[in-house]
Amino acid sequence: MQVTIHAAKTNLSKLIDAALSGEEVVIAKGRKPVVKIVPITQSSFKIGLLKGQITGDGPDFFEPMNEGEIATWEGSE
């Protein structure tokens, strides 16, 4: 479906619904197509996705750094 900018302003929610249902929606300036409305892929975020898959102990961020780590951090090594 191709619509003019004026028609897109008037019918934006209908055009969004059409794009979400898989229809190609193009907005034209005059007769020249300039933009396309496409749905954004929704991905679900799952907390704990890697639970049980990561082994070993990670770094302890509350432990003080040793002298070598401090030197590396400060760029003097």
Side-chain angles (χ1 to χ4, degrees):
M1 146 187 343
Q2 182 169 309
V3 297
T4 64
I5 293 173
H6 177 73
K9 288 180 186 179
T10 305
N11 300 299
L12 183 58
S13 61
K14 290 178 185 176
L15 296 175
I16 291 171
D17 289 339
L20 289 173
S21 67
E23 190 171 342
E24 182 176 280
V25 179
V26 176
I27 300 175
K29 193 171 190 176
R31 292 184 180 169
K32 181 181 178 186
V34 289
V35 296
K36 184 187 299 185
I37 299 176
V38 294
I40 295 175
T41 304
Q42 302 294 320
S43 62
S44 61
F45 178 76
K46 182 179 178 185
I47 294 176
L49 180 66
L50 297 176
K51 185 176 181 177
Q53 295 181 21
I54 299 175
T55 59
D57 294 329
D60 186 351
F61 293 106
F62 296 105
E63 285 292 317
M65 292 191 285
N66 64 40
E67 294 298 322
E69 292 169 329
I70 292 172
T72 301
W73 180 260
E74 293 177 344
S76 57
E77 189 172 279

